[in-house]
């Protein structure tokens, strides 16, 4: 059958047009109501506008990525009750419009982190990079988060100081702006493009001063306790996205990084509507994450798939590589997913599409002449989609022979 081929699209402001995507095999669109402020109710008429536009180009709105979980919900502020009700209403409205899969994350403040948006490969292609010492330089010396140095080994602090000392003021400001604003702005970022973005960011971080991993886990469990009944009632599959990168940053806890994290989550709420977005790129950053084992263990709960690859540059440092070239054993991961799809079909489950998207991509060829969000070039992602589709066909043929 093959996993449903999807593409992340950022709406009317996206430089990539819906009319282009059908030409190279895209079946479904992954998007959100990016023009709606985080925490507000998604109205049915706005959902239908996007859905109908996608369908007019011969595709379906496959996955909502994402319906943002407000910071107020994550910290359980006095505004939580109102925002939970808004979230429930949005789920009901999405279901009324025929949407059935919602990807979300529970990462505090910072949705994902990279220290370079233009890492150059030997081939001349570009991708994004995360260097842990550079991030420490940002955290300790540029952002000057209180007591930040205590969160890093002394050798990392020393390397971070050397990096900071070698940077101009413009380079320091660019690094901070990229981490806080550029990588976050197109996905309902917490901090906008304001003159006070560093101070605002520090304020949001300070709101987690009393929240450790156990407390944040409790808050996630409370969130699911509230919204899962609605998801079950409406037939919506919720699927949490792993932390990116999957280790603590900025003194903030991480609770969706390891097999043990997901085991805890699914033991707390056993409903199959409580699921996982399997992101190979995020999970592969940790050497103690066995991606094939994680895929097998939680296969029945994988409602959405991000396929991406990385190469390591030392401990906790990596860059995004070509989809089939990196630390991820893409063949074995994809084989597990295709076997799960066959199992669902045999069981008569309704959720057999198992949508995947090529997550991020190398900037290559004419991508350099076009504007796109960080990590989301046209040709590099199209290359990844086609590579995965070819690998998938080979695995499918093998499964037919072996069965």
């Amino acid at each position: 059958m093959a996993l449903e081929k999807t593409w992340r699209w950022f709406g009317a402001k996206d430089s990539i047009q819906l009319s282009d995507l059908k030409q190279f095999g895209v079946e479904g669109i992954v998007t959100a109501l990016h023009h709606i402020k985080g925490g507000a109710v998604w109205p049915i008429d706005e959902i239908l506008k996007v859905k109908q536009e996608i369908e007019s180009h011969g595709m379906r709105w496959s996955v909502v990525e994402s319906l943002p979980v407000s910071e107020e919900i994550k910290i359980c502020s006095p505004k939580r009750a109102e925002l939970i009700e808004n979230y429930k209403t949005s789920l009901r409205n999405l279901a009324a419009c025929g949407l059935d899969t919602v990807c979300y994350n529970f990462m505090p403040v910072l949705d994902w982190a990279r220290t370079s948006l233009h890492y150059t490969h030997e081939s001349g292609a570009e991708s994004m990079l995360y260097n842990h010492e550079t991030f420490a330089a940002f955290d300790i010396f540029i952002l000057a988060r209180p007591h930040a140095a205590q969160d890093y080994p002394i050798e990392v602090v020393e390397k971070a100081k050397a990096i900071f000392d070698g940077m101009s003021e413009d380079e320091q400001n660019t690094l901070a702006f990229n981490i806080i604003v550029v990588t976050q702005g197109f996905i309902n970022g917490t901090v906008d493009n304001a003159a006070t973005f560093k101070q605002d960011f520090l304020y949001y971080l300070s709101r987690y001063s009393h929240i450790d991993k156990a407390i944040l886990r409790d808050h996630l469990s409370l969130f699911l306790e509230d919204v899962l009944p609605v998801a079950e009632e409406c037939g919506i599959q919720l699927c949490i996205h792993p932390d990116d990168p999957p280790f603590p940053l900025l003194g903030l806890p991480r609770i969706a990084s390891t097999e043990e994290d997901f085991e805890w989550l699914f033991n707390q709420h056993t409903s199959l509507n409580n699921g996982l977005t399997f992101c190979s790129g995020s999970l592969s950053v940790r050497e103690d994450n066995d991606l094939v084992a994680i895929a097998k263990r939680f296969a029945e709960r994988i409602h959405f798939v991000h396929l991406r690859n990385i190469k390591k540059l030392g401990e906790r440092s990596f860059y995004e590589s070509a989809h089939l070239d990196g630390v991820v054993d893409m063949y074995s991961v994809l084989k597990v997913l295709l076997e799960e799809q066959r199992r669902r079909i045999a069981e008569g489950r309704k959720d057999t599409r198992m949508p995947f998207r090529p997550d991020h991509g190398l900037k290559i060829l004419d991508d350099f002449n076009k504007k796109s969000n960080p990590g989301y070039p046209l040709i590099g992602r199209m290359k990844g989609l086609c590579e995965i589709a070819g690998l998938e066909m080979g695995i499918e043929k093998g499964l037919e022979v072996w069965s």
Side-chain angles (χ1 to χ4, degrees), residues 41-337:
V41 170
W42 285 15
I44 284 179
D45 60 339
E46 292 296 321
I47 296 168
L48 285 176
K49 282 180 188 177
V50 175
K51 183 173 185 281
Q52 290 164 0
E53 183 178 6
I54 292 168
E55 290 174 347
S56 73
H57 292 279
M59 295 171 289
R60 58 176 286 139
W61 187 352
S62 297
V63 180
V64 175
E65 185 180 355
S66 59
L67 182 60
V69 181
S70 306
E71 290 297 303
E72 308 299 329
I73 292 175
K74 294 173 188 174
I75 66 172
C76 282
S77 83
K79 297 180 182 178
R80 179 186 185 279
E82 175 189 352
L83 292 167
I84 285 289
E85 290 307 311
N86 288 354
Y87 205 96
K88 291 178 182 178
T89 301
S90 294
L91 288 177
R92 292 189 177 103
N93 289 349
L94 286 166
C97 296
L99 280 297
D100 61 9
T101 306
V102 173
C103 172
Y104 73 98
N105 76 70
F106 220 77
M107 288 179 264
V109 185
L110 198 64
D111 192 287
W112 53 289
R114 299 293 185 270
T115 55
S116 174
L117 308 182
H118 303 286
Y119 175 75
T120 303
H121 298 225
E122 289 183 3
S123 65
E126 280 187 2
S127 68
M128 295 189 292
L129 170 146
Y130 175 86
N131 180 277
H132 196 54
E133 288 80 15
T134 302
F135 192 88
F138 154 74
D139 188 13
I140 301 168
F141 302 108
I142 300 173
L143 185 64
R145 177 174 63 89
H147 313 297
Q150 298 175 10
D151 292 334
Y152 300 91
I154 185 62
E155 60 270 19
V156 172
V157 175
E158 291 171 352
K159 290 178 181 178
K161 182 63 164 63
I163 290 170
F164 172 74
D165 288 343
M167 299 175 74
S168 67
E169 185 175 350
D170 281 347
E171 288 171 332
Q172 294 169 20
N173 289 332
T174 297
L175 177 63
F177 191 74
N178 283 345
I179 291 173
I180 297 172
V181 179
V182 175
T183 59
Q184 310 297 308
F186 63 98
I187 48 169
N188 297 101
T190 301
V191 179
D192 60 15
N193 183 0
T196 59
F197 72 93
K198 281 189 275 191
Q199 291 88 340
D200 294 343
F201 190 62
L202 282 168
Y203 163 72
Y204 281 106
L205 294 178
S206 72
R207 302 178 83 198
Y208 284 84
S209 60
H210 65 291
I211 298 176
D212 59 12
K213 181 170 183 173
I215 294 173
L216 191 61
R217 273 184 166 182
D218 286 343
H219 291 180
L220 172 58
S221 186
L222 285 171
F223 166 71
L224 290 171
E225 185 177 308
D226 285 328
V227 303
L228 264 176
V230 176
E232 291 173 325
E233 160 202 324
C234 295
I236 283 186
Q237 297 169 316
L238 296 174
C239 40
I240 192 168
H241 189 286
D243 302 323
D244 185 9
F247 46 77
L249 294 176
L250 300 162
L252 301 169
R254 295 293 216 188
I255 59 172
S257 296
T258 66
E259 183 173 348
E260 188 272 334
D261 286 334
F262 301 123
E263 178 184 25
W264 174 86
L265 176 62
F266 301 138
N267 284 340
Q268 290 288 304
H269 301 278
T270 59
S271 167
L272 283 180
N273 295 77
N274 177 27
L276 173 65
T277 296
F278 184 89
C279 180
S280 62
S282 298
L283 292 170
S284 63
V285 171
R286 290 183 68 114
E287 293 185 1
D288 56 343
N289 275 342
D290 183 332
L291 268 65
V292 175
I294 291 173
K296 286 182 178 178
R297 183 168 185 186
F298 304 117
E300 67 175 356
R301 295 180 179 275
I302 295 175
H303 301 321
F304 183 33
V305 180
H306 290 183
L307 295 178
R308 170 164 60 85
N309 222 322
I310 66 159
K311 289 189 175 180
K312 301 287 184 66
L313 291 172
E315 188 176 1
R316 294 195 171 187
S317 296
F318 62 92
Y319 67 91
E320 297 182 355
S321 56
H323 285 80
L324 302 186
D325 180 27
V327 303
V328 177
D329 180 355
M330 200 64 74
Y331 169 87
S332 297
V333 167
L334 195 52
K335 184 170 179 286
V336 171
L337 297 172

